[in-house]
Amino acid sequence: MLTAALATLALGACNADRDTRETVPTETPRAGVETPTPTPVPTAADAPVGPEEEAAASGALQSAIPARFHGTYGASLEDCAMKSHSRFTVSAQKIQFIESSAEVLNVRAESDYAAVTADETYADTTTRYVFYMALEGGDRLRYRYDKNERMTWVRCP
């Protein structure tokens, strides 16, 4: 037993010059113990389908939010005058909120509809979701996150 241990140490020392990476052993599931399944990453296809989602899903996959959606939006015109939770800004690569920002991963857009898959970082937590947008003329934006309720905000001057 001692000889086997010394041989293992000697082989390890010989290999030390070639590879210094640490290997992490993988765990084998035990009988009767459930292995947790990974949480799937949401995409535009995962959210419930409505007219906005159907229109956005028919658009070509893009890497940036189209310029027609860019701007600052508020719950009301009064909210446009101050930084608050009732205001956000849409640009090509980001949706900026007062305390966080969502980085664009991909976009599907068709006409006045868009589905943006984004990673939002708030404090030390990053959440991936789909942000749906529908333009209502030049002055209003109807939007929602994933399965949450739709809201309509005004475009700030």
Side-chain angles (χ1 to χ4, degrees):
M1 178 92 123
L2 182 59
T3 307
L6 289 174
T8 302
L9 283 174
L11 283 174
C14 291
N15 289 330
D17 293 338
R18 284 187 277 166
D19 191 359
T20 58
R21 293 175 291 174
E22 182 178 351
T23 58
V24 178
T26 57
E27 215 175 286
T28 306
R30 295 181 308 226
V33 176
E34 283 188 39
T35 303
T37 56
T39 304
V41 174
T43 65
D46 295 332
V49 176
E52 292 93 349
E53 293 81 9
E54 284 180 6
S58 69
L61 192 62
Q62 304 171 36
S63 61
I65 299 172
R68 62 186 171 275
F69 295 95
H70 298 182
T72 299
Y73 298 90
S76 68
L77 283 174
E78 293 77 30
D79 291 314
C80 290
M82 65 186 126
K83 287 187 175 187
S84 71
H85 289 279
S86 297
R87 191 174 99 163
F88 63 84
T89 300
V90 176
S91 62
Q93 295 297 318
K94 186 185 322 187
I95 303 170
Q96 183 68 50
F97 304 98
I98 189 165
E99 294 178 343
S100 64
S101 64
E103 299 295 323
V104 172
L105 299 175
N106 65 55
V107 180
R108 288 205 178 265
E110 179 66 36
S111 183
D112 289 337
Y113 304 100
V116 178
T117 302
D119 279 345
E120 181 177 1
T121 302
Y122 180 79
D124 292 337
T125 304
T126 299
T127 304
R128 182 165 292 169
Y129 58 81
V130 181
F131 189 84
Y132 293 99
M133 298 183 285
L135 292 172
E136 295 182 347
D139 63 343
R140 298 172 71 77
L141 178 76
R142 188 173 59 249
Y143 74 93
R144 75 179 175 96
Y145 298 83
D146 282 333
K147 299 175 183 179
N148 296 315
E149 76 176 76
R150 289 179 175 85
M151 294 185 267
T152 302
W153 284 18
V154 298
R155 188 185 296 260
C156 297

